[in-house]
Amino acid sequence: MKRSHLQQNARQYINGRWETGVTSGLSENPSDTREVVAEYARADRSQTESAIRAAVDAFPHWSRTTPQRRADVLDQIGSELLARREELGVLLAREEGKTLAEAIAEATRAGQIFKFFAGEALRAGGETMSSMRPGVQVDVTREPVGVVGLIAPWNFPLAIPAWKIAPALAYGNSVVFKPAELVPACGWALAEIISRAALPAGTFNLVMGSGREVGQAIVDSPLVDAISFTGSVETGERILRAASARHAKVQLEMGGKNPLVVLADADLELAVDCAVQGAYFSTGQRCTASSRLIVEAPVHDAFVARLRRRMAALKVGHALERGIDIGPVVDRRQLGQNMASIAAAIEEGAEHVWGGELLTRPTAGHYMSPALFLARPHQRVAREEIFGPVACVLRADDYEHALVLANDTPFGLCAGICTASLQRAMHFKRHAKVGMTMVNLPTAGVDYHVPFGGRKASSYGPREQGRYAAEFYTTVKTGYVMA
Ligand code: NAD
């Protein structure tokens, strides 16, 4: 393996100090697997517990700091992220494999999120109400929850940690953050910026390592008051069982199998744009990806033909190469899973329209062409989350049928519709059983100042992002005063 001069030496950040791990690991570049992106420290259970104790000790002080102090810290972190967005984008593209443009946009978003929550720290307030009893005053105030454990996935290694860490700190909590094993350099880069923001020691801690050991230690610790997790349904459900058994607060963001409905009156070019962006950009590795394209019968064949033409023109390659539309799959395991899902789709009788092949490029990476199938609703390709550049088209007889198909899934994160009819669009917005709806837009691609999250198997607990983040990162206290 080639050790690049850009290689990071990523250490744990515990109680205001950089620490080596109990063991170490390597993260590799999925565009060129000969390149090591980082050698990183891996914690065990006892090192994780020391980070948790540091957060416990830091909480009383941090929770009592002024809103101005917290806003200044978050603003400083946001400013540095924005100033270094290009450099961070390169690191992100090298470690996770999304294209450089997508990676810079993600680094920018991470900076914007810290800036947003700097403002929220100042705006946090409560309510005063009249009592039912004469002479009594009632108020409702918000307090930080305590020590929060933040467990993140690999697919947005800067933005997802940012939208957990920023509100946690803004509302006065102390943090133990565990990034995914595939992206330690991004987690470390974020921690390094946070470490320079004059936070009291122990307020923010970074622990890297395996989910089973480090993640589980966070989930099991009676000292961790709340856990915010983004990742797979399987891990999320395990965390929910363990955390709720000890009455910890839990927030889970998990998978999706998001529908994009295309009605006969839609602008077909726009619909194809939405499908290409939603299904294939970021290599389809987004929980909001449009993996089910539900198309009304009169435009079905025309839509499929146009989409196929657009897919044939998409360029797959090294994430840092100019003009690339789609980077590699994140790792060998995910590529193997994508290929297995494609084989299963063919075996089940889904009609193969385009792609799904392994690609060779000048560098040894995990490359595949985006894949499209014509499927039936019961087939696995139409039901299971693949988390890769694989989508299927389902034929709908009419709008009512399309809506039934859209809701026929255990997931409920996001749903989109392309139509020229305001009436249909509004009906869809009301009746789609999801947390987010999109009209004439791709299902993936959301704003940072409004709630993010879903229903059914996609999410559990309060929404993330925007002002709604306060629901998870604070607890409400009702005060009665006889004056
Ligand atoms: P994953 O569930 O394998 O891992 C997510 C995180 O949990 C990692 O940090 C991992 O180390 C940790 N973890 C694993 N086992 C654990 C345990 N027993 N206890 C505590 N922590 C543990 O998911 P992934 O492979 O990193 O990400 C891909 C999945 O994430 C996809 O299924 C995707 O749909 C989902 N995802 C959802 C959203 C969303 O907001 N809804 C966003 C991005 C990704």
Side-chain angles (χ1 to χ4, degrees), residues 315-345:
K315 294 197 181 71
V316 179
H318 194 296
L320 294 178
E321 199 180 317
R322 253 174 206 282
I324 286 304
D325 299 301
I326 300 175
V329 172
V330 72
D331 72 346
R332 190 181 306 281
R333 192 174 133 252
Q334 184 67 48
L335 183 65
Q337 275 174 227
N338 296 352
M339 288 300 154
S341 300
I342 287 167

Side-chain angles (χ1 to χ4, degrees), residues 9 16 26 107 113 257 264 287 294 325 357 375 410 426 451:
N9 179 11
L26 298 177
I113 289 168
K257 192 73 186 175
C287 47
I294 300 170
D325 299 301
E357 280 132 18
M426 296 309 285

